[in-house]
Amino acid sequence: MSWGTELWDQFDNLDKHTQWGIDFLERYAKFVKERLDIEQNYAKQLRNLVKKYCPKRSKDEEPRFTSCLSFYSILNELNDYAGQREVVAEEMGHKVYGELMRYSQDLKAERKHHLQEGRKAQQYLDHCWKQMDNSKKKFERECKEAEKSQMSYEKLDNDINATKSEVEKAKSQFYLRTHMADESKNEYAAQLQNFNAEQWKHFNNAIPHIFKNLQDMDERRTVKLGETYRSFAEAERRVIPIVSKCLEGMVSAAKAVDERRDSAIVVESFKSGFEPPGDFPFEDFSQNLSRTGSDGTISNTPKGDRDGAPGPRPDPKHSMSKTKNKLWLFGKKPKAPSLEDFSHLPPEQRRKRLQQRIDELNKELQKEMDQRDALNKMKDVYEKNPQMGDPSSLQPKISETICNMEKLRSEIHKNETWLSEVEGKQSSRGDRRHSADNHHHTPQGRESPEGSYTEDTSQEHHTPHHRTSPPQPGQPNPDPHEFDDEFDDDDPLPVIGHCKALYSFDGQNEGTLVMAEDEVLYIIEEDKGDGWTRARKQSGEEGYVPTSYVEITMEKNCKGAVTYI
């Protein structure tokens, strides 16, 4: 249907309709603008949220737990999702809102042009109608004047009293008016014919053409709205695949959470490598009732071998001392730590830190080696092509690189030595623990006051009952590692015997006791199978002495002897 034929007389209504269409288009553009503002604010808030919960971290603070890694993966996916919301806002801004605003301006200009043409055509038709109407009124006036002149002529002509000159004058006036009426009639006929022709053109050519242009403009406005509706939806649909990948990434991150792995990381992070404390011994104060007169001299044969009973256990106070040192993190701290070799850390943590440092040094060494190789290649190129550069200018840099390599190798060797020391201690500790499980009465190692263990278990020995070849003075076989026993107990241990020094002992290690040859000492703790006996001087000083260096005599009915079950 055409507006030009169907709505030929609705110029004012079409004027209002086209104005409404442009207002509606601008209203939709305003809606799109508010929508893209919402998208931009949403994306901005999401990015701020991600930034808030994912702050910058140093290398040592990088998360290792799967739950933390999954959470940071979700934050990364959410950040990508925020980026897609920004893409949606950008698409809506350029392809919808911007396009609508430009088109609205074009529509306003085009509508104004068509309406001006319509008004001009209407004004021209009105002008033609006025000319026709004026000629019509003139013709009417001339006809009335002609009738009056005719009536005047006829009256004078019938009047016998009228003179001939009066009759001739009325007659000429009648002929003049009649002529003027005929001319007005012809002019009116011409103007009427012209107006009818212009009116036909107006309603059959000009107005249909103008209304057709307005109809085309309005239809194009409707099509443009449909296209922008589609672009509005396409801007959202184009990001759906990437948004779906973001959501899939979040689901994958959720599935990657592994509670067992997190638990293992906790163990790896906080495992000290120390051995749990042993059982507390049972103190049997009735031990003196079971002794006989033949037990005057101590036998170095383990008790379990003599009567089938369980082997001797460490003294309770001695065991408590070892326990406190072993768990120094919760009790007595070690001496001033040396941060360079991580000796202030527990064995397991120390091993990990040393291994980490060795890996970092190896990476640095590889970089220096690559730099050295590159400099050597450049030097060879300069030697073959002197115009490219002076080979001697590279020598200081090559020397510096080689020096750095030597320093790194020295550092790596030093850290590897510390690492092998830690691993050796852990290995010997595992062997001692396994042996202790099979032979609970034979302790396989001692701790140092710092909580470390002896490295070589082959140096631990037992004292036989009969010494066929006693050691020579000056060549003792004591364990060279430090003792961890403490002598700050409130109540001193009771004397259970005495001994005579067969050889002198310098007692250089911490926890040992210096003694001279033939010196008599008090026995306060028997040999537990590790080749050491705890003794006290007459001055009250206590410590360990090699069992093979003394001749021991146990007191009869002595108090303080302990039995372990």
Side-chain angles (χ1 to χ4, degrees):
M1 300 180 69
S2 175
W3 289 4
T5 57
E6 301 294 335
L7 303 175
W8 61 272
D9 59 343
Q10 300 296 321
F11 182 85
D12 293 337
N13 287 331
L14 291 180
D15 183 6
K16 294 178 182 179
H17 173 75
T18 52
Q19 182 61 44
W20 171 87
I22 294 176
D23 291 342
F24 180 80
L25 183 140
E26 291 181 343
R27 184 183 179 191
Y28 174 65
K30 184 178 179 182
F31 161 77
V32 175
K33 179 65 168 61
E34 293 182 0
R35 169 64 193 279
L36 67 90
D37 288 341
I38 291 174
E39 290 289 346
Q40 289 176 343
N41 292 331
Y42 179 48
K44 182 178 180 181
Q45 290 176 359
L46 285 179
R47 289 194 182 277
N48 290 337
L49 182 67
V50 171
K51 184 178 180 180
K52 176 180 178 181
Y53 285 92
C54 188
K56 294 182 180 180
R57 302 176 301 273
S58 63
K59 185 177 180 181
D60 295 336
E61 296 175 351
E62 287 293 330
R64 295 187 297 159
F65 295 103
T66 58
S67 56
C68 294
L69 294 175
S70 297
F71 175 65
Y72 291 127
S73 297
I74 290 175
L75 290 179
N76 291 332
E77 297 294 346
L78 188 60
N79 192 54
D80 295 340
Y81 176 80
Q84 295 308 306
R85 303 323 305 174
E86 292 175 345
V87 171
V88 170
E90 184 178 356
E91 290 282 331
M92 289 182 179
H94 291 295
K95 295 187 177 181
V96 182
Y97 176 73
E99 185 67 21
L100 286 174
M101 296 306 296
R102 288 190 296 270
Y103 193 71
S104 174
Q105 298 299 323
D106 295 341
L107 282 180
K108 288 179 179 179
E110 184 179 357
R111 173 180 173 275
K112 181 179 179 180
H113 173 71
H114 294 323
L115 292 178
Q116 285 178 348
E117 287 184 346
R119 291 189 180 95
K120 287 181 181 179
Q122 188 64 40
Q123 290 174 358
Y124 180 72
L125 183 64
D126 292 341
H127 175 69
C128 292
W129 181 84
K130 287 181 180 180
Q131 287 182 339
M132 183 273 296
D133 187 59
N134 291 333
S135 64
K136 177 183 176 181
K137 291 179 179 178
K138 181 179 179 182
F139 172 60
E140 183 180 3
R141 286 194 307 270
E142 293 296 335
C143 288
K144 289 181 179 180
E145 291 293 331
E147 289 177 357
K148 288 181 180 181
S149 64
Q150 183 181 2
M151 290 176 64
S152 176
Y153 168 70
E154 289 177 351
K155 182 178 179 181
L156 289 174
D157 187 41
N158 294 327
D159 188 2
I160 57 175
N161 296 321
T163 63
K164 184 178 179 180
S165 62
E166 290 177 346
V167 173
E168 289 295 331
K169 184 178 179 179
K171 184 179 178 180
S172 61
Q173 186 68 27
F174 167 67
Y175 286 152
L176 178 62
R177 292 294 179 185
T178 302
H179 179 69
M180 292 178 64
D182 290 339
E183 288 181 354
S184 296
K185 181 181 178 180
N186 293 333
E187 183 181 358
Y188 169 64
Q191 291 294 336
L192 179 63
Q193 184 179 3
N194 180 62
F195 172 74
N196 288 333
E198 292 298 332
Q199 181 176 257
W200 187 90
K201 289 181 182 179
H202 178 78
F203 288 108
N204 289 276
N205 291 330
I207 291 299
H209 177 70
I210 294 172
F211 283 9
K212 182 65 169 57
N213 291 337
L214 288 174
Q215 182 181 2
D216 292 342
M217 181 194 73
D218 192 69
E219 289 178 352
R220 282 187 280 108
R221 176 191 64 83
T222 305
V223 171
K224 175 61 70 172
L225 281 173
E227 291 177 352
T228 53
Y229 292 162
R230 188 178 301 107
S231 299
F232 183 84
E234 287 291 335
E236 189 79 31
R237 188 170 66 178
R238 271 193 288 269
V239 302
I240 288 179
I242 301 179
V243 170
S244 298
K245 289 183 179 180
C246 294
L247 297 177
E248 290 175 1
M250 294 181 185
V251 173
S252 300
K255 293 180 180 179
V257 176
D258 187 354
E259 67 279 4
R260 296 186 179 275
R261 173 60 181 162
D262 286 358
S263 297
I265 292 175
V266 174
V267 174
E268 180 181 353
S269 300
F270 303 113
K271 182 180 178 182
S272 66
F274 290 129
E275 199 172 324
D279 297 337
F280 283 95
F282 173 75
E283 298 186 33
D284 187 0
F285 296 100
S286 63
Q287 179 70 18
N288 58 329
L289 301 177
S290 62
R291 292 183 178 272
T292 61
S294 60
D295 293 333
T297 304
I298 186 171
S299 173
N300 289 322
T301 304
K303 185 177 180 181
D305 296 339
R306 295 196 306 267
D307 53 13
R313 299 292 299 272
D315 182 79
K317 295 184 178 180
H318 177 55
S319 298
M320 178 60 72
S321 172
K322 296 170 74 173
T323 300
K324 289 192 295 184
N325 282 323
K326 202 177 299 180
L327 299 177
W328 56 265
L329 286 175
F330 310 98
K332 183 179 178 181
K333 292 185 178 181
K335 296 180 180 179
S338 175
L339 298 178
E340 183 182 6
D341 61 352
F342 302 111
S343 59
H344 61 291
L345 296 176
E348 184 67 20
Q349 300 302 318
R350 181 187 181 193
R351 183 189 65 79
K352 293 174 183 175
R353 294 294 295 274
L354 288 172
Q355 186 62 53
Q356 180 181 358
R357 180 188 286 176
I358 291 173
D359 294 339
E360 294 174 355
L361 291 173
N362 282 325
K363 291 180 181 179
E364 295 180 8
L365 177 61
Q366 186 62 41
K367 290 181 181 179
E368 294 292 338
M369 293 174 65
D370 294 340
Q371 184 177 359
R372 179 202 60 186
D373 295 340
L375 291 172
N376 286 330
K377 290 181 181 179
M378 188 180 298
K379 182 179 179 181
D380 293 340
V381 172
Y382 287 176
E383 290 176 350
K384 294 179 181 178
N385 302 287
Q387 67 274 11
M388 297 182 66
D390 184 11
S392 61
S393 64
L394 300 176
Q395 190 59 41
K397 187 65 177 176
I398 295 176
S399 301
E400 180 183 355
T401 304
I402 295 175
C403 181
N404 293 337
M405 290 171 55
E406 293 299 326
K407 291 180 180 179
L408 289 172
R409 287 194 180 101
S410 176
E411 286 292 323
I412 292 173
H413 177 72
K414 181 169 62 175
N415 283 273
E416 286 178 346
T417 302
W418 289 332
L419 180 62
S420 61
E421 174 186 351
V422 175
E423 290 177 346
K425 289 182 179 180
Q426 289 183 328
S427 176
S428 62
R429 171 180 165 269
D431 295 340
R432 288 195 300 272
R433 187 170 184 178
H434 179 71
S435 176
D437 291 337
N438 296 331
H439 307 284
H440 192 263
H441 65 283
T442 309
Q444 293 296 318
R446 292 186 177 272
E447 295 176 279
S448 69
E450 289 78 15
S452 60
Y453 290 82
T454 55
E455 299 181 32
D456 188 3
T457 56
S458 63
Q459 295 180 0
E460 299 172 353
H461 55 271
H462 303 279
T463 304
H465 182 63
H466 300 285
R467 296 189 295 272
T468 55
S469 57
Q472 295 297 325
Q475 296 179 356
N477 295 319
D479 186 31
H481 302 286
E482 298 177 349
F483 291 97
D484 64 332
D485 299 278
E486 299 174 357
F487 303 100
D488 55 355
D489 299 327
D490 295 335
D491 298 326
L493 295 177
V495 177
I496 59 174
H498 63 275
C499 64
K500 181 181 180 181
L502 302 177
Y503 315 101
S504 61
F505 179 66
D506 55 3
Q508 294 180 353
N509 294 328
E510 184 178 353
T512 58
L513 187 64
V514 179
M515 65 178 182
E517 187 176 357
D518 296 329
E519 184 178 3
V520 177
L521 307 172
Y522 297 112
I523 303 296
I524 57 176
E525 182 180 322
E526 299 180 31
D527 187 353
K528 308 305 179 185
D530 56 355
W532 295 90
T533 299
R534 190 171 178 180
R536 180 189 300 144
K537 288 188 174 184
Q538 295 182 1
S539 61
E541 184 181 2
E542 296 181 0
Y544 283 90
V545 296
T547 305
S548 59
Y549 277 41
V550 295
E551 180 180 0
I552 300 173
T553 303
M554 299 301 296
E555 301 291 344
K556 295 182 179 180
N557 300 326
C558 64
K559 296 182 180 182
V562 294
T563 302
Y564 298 87
I565 58 172

